[in-house]
Amino acid sequence: MLPSVQTDLVDIFEYITRESGSLAIGRRFVDALRQKCRDLSSLPATIGRARPDLRPDIRSFAFRGYVIFFRYNGDWFEVANIVEGHRDIDSLWSEGKGEE
């Protein structure tokens, strides 16, 4: 995972914990996101939605209200960002905030 993904996960953890009032719920949610990323890494390169509108090599996968952005390069898999699904994703990527 890129450093930007670590930041995304911390932000998500803090948000879920704050909104739910529970550290355990925040941890479980972030753990589930991490597991989904691991699952995606073991699946064929055709999984997810191609996102040529953002970058030619980026794909996305929706998971529990969030969108995981990733790419495959041969046998190599990389998560680029995880963002809340209601955000203006096109704007984030055009402003350079996607894949920081």
Side-chain angles (χ1 to χ4, degrees):
M1 289 186 195
L2 293 174
S4 59
V5 177
Q6 296 301 329
T7 301
D8 293 342
L9 289 171
V10 168
D11 291 345
I12 292 165
F13 170 75
E14 290 174 350
Y15 174 78
I16 297 293
T17 299
R18 183 175 56 251
E19 292 299 309
S20 69
S22 169
L23 278 170
I25 291 172
R27 283 189 191 120
R28 278 195 306 268
F29 190 85
V30 169
D31 288 346
L33 271 172
R34 288 178 182 273
Q35 183 59 51
K36 181 49 70 178
C37 291
R38 285 190 291 276
D39 293 346
L40 290 170
S41 73
S42 67
L43 296 171
T46 57
I47 198 75
R49 176 180 162 207
R51 298 301 301 259
D53 52 317
L54 303 176
R55 283 193 47 167
D57 60 342
I58 290 292
R59 302 186 74 79
S60 66
F61 189 89
F63 181 74
R64 296 187 185 177
Y66 285 80
V67 181
I68 301 168
F69 292 94
F70 59 96
R71 73 178 121 249
Y72 294 99
N73 184 3
D75 292 336
W76 177 67
F77 174 84
E78 179 178 62
V79 176
N81 287 101
I82 303 173
V83 298
E84 200 274 327
H86 291 102
R87 296 192 56 193
D88 183 351
I89 291 170
D90 290 329
S91 178
L92 284 172
W93 280 74
S94 68
E95 293 172 4
K97 292 183 178 150
E99 192 184 19
E100 289 179 341

